[in-house]
């Protein structure tokens, strides 16, 4: 019987609950929960059968070996720094890695100095539709890849901090990461953003990203106040197209991938999976085998560089080069 490490959770919101549920299915115990709000944190800890903690120090003293950071984006970097200072060596952080590239670089520095094993929660890499598309590309089914077009829209989330952080850092960081996964190293970004709902951050955005070898991605997305809540919508809210030299493929998240080329049409049905469970399994397995995390610092920093360049582009209304200041080394 496999023995799992003792896991601590920082955060008690919806994404933290999703991680806890996934860990329950895996059989990995959450032994301690941290929240600065005891009125909300204590009932959650009791429900999860875990020890409640109000500080990082208290959490570490419970003997946790792995900590999951499932809090709003603006707190990620400070929490990771605090965990590393307390001696924690295994951390899984929800996406994006930090609020700014400067913060992400500081996380990279301290993690590299202290030998920290850090994973970043870009869960869409583990969804079967996107994995099927990736495998089809690697098999050469549409030849050399040229272009990606992706649309990702959701209803406006109820939590105010999402609108404060902005759609580029939040949901669009997922498709930014997918663009990096499919197309490789990003070079330039041109971004237009809008603020229809009067939050501090943008709520819709349009990105044109270029990559090495003359590859291009158009990434659109945002929050729409009256977007319909349809059954299964959450798993079907991304539409994407990949164009290659010998054909193209298009897909609907969680539903299908269709491949079109001279030989004819191929429809690949995909089944929805719990991507959080899949990414946590992969993280824990890599950790136990002393391998690199499947999605780690390098991937987190590359996505952060595109996020930062997009925000600057939207503000200055220009194309931004992801030069050595932005790009991971």
């Amino acid at each position: 019987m496999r023995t799992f490490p003792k896991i601590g959770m920082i955060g008690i919101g919806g994404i933290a609950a999703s991680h806890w549920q996934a860990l329950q299915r895996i059989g990995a115990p959450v032994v301690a929960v941290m929240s600065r709000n005891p009125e909300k944190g204590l009932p959650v800890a009791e429900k999860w059968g875990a020890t409640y903690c109000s500080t990082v120090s208290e959490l570490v003293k419970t003997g946790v070996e792995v900590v999951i950071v499932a809090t709003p984006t603006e707190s990620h970097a400070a929490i990771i720094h605090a965990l590393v200072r307390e001696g924690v060596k295994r951390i899984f952080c929800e996406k994006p890695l930090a609020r700014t590239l400067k913060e992400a670089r500081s996380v990279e520095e301290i993690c590299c100095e202290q030998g920290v094993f850090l994973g970043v929660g870009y869960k869409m890499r583990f969804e079967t539709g996107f994995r099927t598309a990736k495998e089809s590309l690697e098999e050469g089914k549409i030849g050399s890849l040229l272009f990606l077009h992706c649309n990702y829209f959701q209803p406006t989330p109820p939590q105010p901090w999402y609108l404060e952080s902005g759609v580029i850092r939040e949901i669009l960081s997922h498709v930014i990461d997918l663009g990096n996964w499919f197309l490789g190293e990003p070079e330039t970004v041109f971004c237009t953003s809008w603020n229809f709902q009067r939050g501090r951050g943008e709520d819709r955005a349009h990105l044109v990203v270029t990559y090495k070898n003359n590859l291009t991605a158009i990434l659109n997305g945002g929050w729409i106040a009256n977007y319909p809540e349809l059954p299964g919508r959450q798993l079907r809210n991304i539409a994407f197209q990949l164009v290659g030299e010998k054909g193209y493929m298009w897909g609907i998240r969680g539903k299908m991938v269709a491949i079109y080329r001279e030989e004819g049409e191929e429809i690949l049905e995909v089944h929805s999976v719990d991507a959080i469970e899949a990414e946590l399994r992969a993280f824990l397995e890599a950790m136990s085998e002393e391998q690199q995390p499947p999605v780690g610092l390098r991937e987190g920093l590359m996505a952060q560089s595109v996020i930062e360049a997009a925000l600057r582009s939207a503000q200055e209304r220009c194309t931004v080069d992801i030069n050595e200041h932005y790009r991971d080394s």
Side-chain angles (χ1 to χ4, degrees):
M1 184 175 179
R2 183 177 179 185
T3 301
F4 288 99
K6 295 178 180 178
I7 297 173
M9 183 80 68
I10 300 182
I12 56 171
I15 191 63
S18 295
H19 280 81
W20 175 75
Q21 290 163 0
L23 291 166
Q24 289 286 99
R25 292 189 291 272
I26 293 171
V30 174
V31 301
V33 175
M34 180 197 146
S35 168
R36 293 191 177 93
N37 186 334
E39 291 184 3
K40 294 182 178 179
L42 278 166
V44 170
E46 183 178 352
K47 176 183 176 181
W48 293 357
T51 300
Y52 169 74
C53 306
S54 60
T55 66
V56 168
S57 182
E58 288 178 16
L59 184 79
V60 173
K61 287 176 182 176
T62 66
V64 294
E65 300 162 275
V66 178
V67 176
I68 295 174
V69 180
T71 58
T73 299
E74 65 180 10
S75 64
H76 290 177
I79 290 172
I80 293 171
H81 275 269
L83 287 168
V84 175
R85 287 195 298 267
E86 291 284 347
V88 177
K89 298 290 188 180
R90 299 168 178 178
I91 302 169
F92 184 90
C93 181
E94 256 304 325
K95 61 81 199 164
L97 181 57
R99 181 170 174 80
T100 67
L101 184 61
K102 182 178 180 180
E103 288 181 354
R105 288 292 192 194
S106 73
V107 167
E108 176 192 35
E109 182 177 2
I110 194 170
C111 286
C112 290
E113 285 178 355
Q114 300 301 318
V116 174
F117 183 89
L118 186 138
V120 183
Y122 283 112
K123 66 176 183 175
M124 289 185 189
R125 292 188 182 218
F126 297 87
E127 294 187 10
T128 51
F130 300 121
R131 294 185 78 86
T132 297
K134 176 73 169 175
E135 289 164 5
S136 297
L137 286 172
E138 292 173 348
E139 291 168 5
K141 289 193 173 182
I142 61 170
S144 299
L145 183 61
L146 302 172
F147 181 76
L148 165 66
H149 190 176
C150 189
N151 292 316
Y152 184 16
F153 292 89
Q154 287 186 346
T156 304
Q159 301 91 336
W161 67 265
Y162 278 105
L163 285 173
E164 296 297 300
S165 184
V167 75
I168 294 172
R169 288 191 181 95
E170 302 307 328
I171 66 169
L172 281 184
S173 68
H174 276 301
V175 294
I176 285 169
D177 176 66
L178 287 175
N180 295 342
W181 193 39
F182 286 138
L183 280 74
E185 188 172 348
E187 292 194 324
T188 70
V189 180
F190 180 82
C191 176
T192 304
S193 66
W194 297 267
N195 186 335
F196 292 103
Q197 299 175 63
R198 301 293 181 261
R200 190 168 64 184
E202 73 290 337
D203 51 40
R204 290 183 219 173
H206 168 86
L207 282 68
V208 180
V209 187
T210 65
Y211 303 79
K212 283 191 171 181
N213 302 316
N214 298 315
L215 305 180
T216 305
I218 293 177
L219 311 175
N220 300 307
W223 295 307
I224 301 173
N226 297 318
Y227 200 73
E229 287 282 7
L230 301 175
R233 177 208 52 78
Q234 182 65 23
L235 291 177
R236 299 179 183 179
N237 55 10
I238 297 180
F240 63 96
Q241 183 182 36
L242 292 153
V243 179
E245 291 180 330
K246 297 181 180 179
Y248 68 92
M249 71 176 84
W250 67 270
I252 299 174
R253 183 188 185 193
K255 188 175 182 180
M256 65 177 294
V257 174
I259 301 174
Y260 296 89
R261 49 190 178 162
E262 188 175 356
E263 295 90 335
E265 173 186 272
E266 182 179 5
I267 306 297
L268 305 174
E269 185 177 352
V270 298
H271 302 283
S272 62
V273 299
D274 188 313
I276 291 179
E277 179 180 338
E279 71 177 351
L280 290 175
R281 281 187 186 276
F283 173 80
L284 293 170
E285 287 172 4
M287 188 180 69
S288 68
E289 296 170 5
E290 298 185 352
Q291 298 177 351
Q292 289 297 313
V295 185
L297 272 171
R298 181 181 182 277
E299 292 77 15
L301 284 163
M302 189 175 289
Q304 199 83 46
S305 72
V306 178
I307 292 168
E308 185 125 328
L311 291 168
R312 177 182 163 193
S313 172
Q315 182 178 24
E316 299 181 5
R317 299 182 180 182
C318 65
T319 297
V320 174
D321 289 330
I322 305 177
N323 53 29
E324 293 304 321
H325 176 70
Y326 291 111
R327 185 179 297 133
D328 60 314
S329 56

